[in-house]
Amino acid sequence: MRRALADLRPEPAIVAATDRARAAGIKVAMLSNSFGLEPYNPYVTLGMWEDAFGAVILSEREGVRKPSSFICQRALDALGLSGPECVFVDDHAENLPPAEALGIRTIHHTTDPEGTAAQLDALLERAAA
């Protein structure tokens, strides 16, 4: 796994957007269809582990994968929030409808990280107003 994921890097614009959210007191979770954690945990290597988020929800731990609404509900429960209080960003459009069904606002991340970050910032600014 270490070799297979060697070129994987967090997107700086998205990391900066989540950092801004955290600095504003907004809870941030990572919800991922896991690559697996043993014997190599790619999230630790990338600096994206439990100390970087209010909650880390991984398919491997939950026994279910996105696009299941169960895993989205698990993220809400872990954060102690309701759907309308949250925004979910995902790069696979098929993962968005289960979140939307729970009242979560969604953003489909494509190939424009700055655009995705701007959408996220705009939603969070409106929520804070």
Side-chain angles (χ1 to χ4, degrees), residues 14 16 21 29 37 45 56 77 98 103 110 116 121:
I14 304 302
L37 301 175
T45 301
V56 174
D77 294 344
T110 56
T116 298
D121 286 340

Side-chain angles (χ1 to χ4, degrees), residues 49-72:
W49 197 228
E50 277 136 345
D51 56 335
F53 298 95
V56 174
I57 310 300
L58 301 176
S59 59
E60 178 176 353
R61 291 178 173 169
E62 301 303 320
V64 64
R65 298 175 61 80
K66 295 181 287 181
S68 171
S69 62
F70 173 80
I71 201 164
C72 296

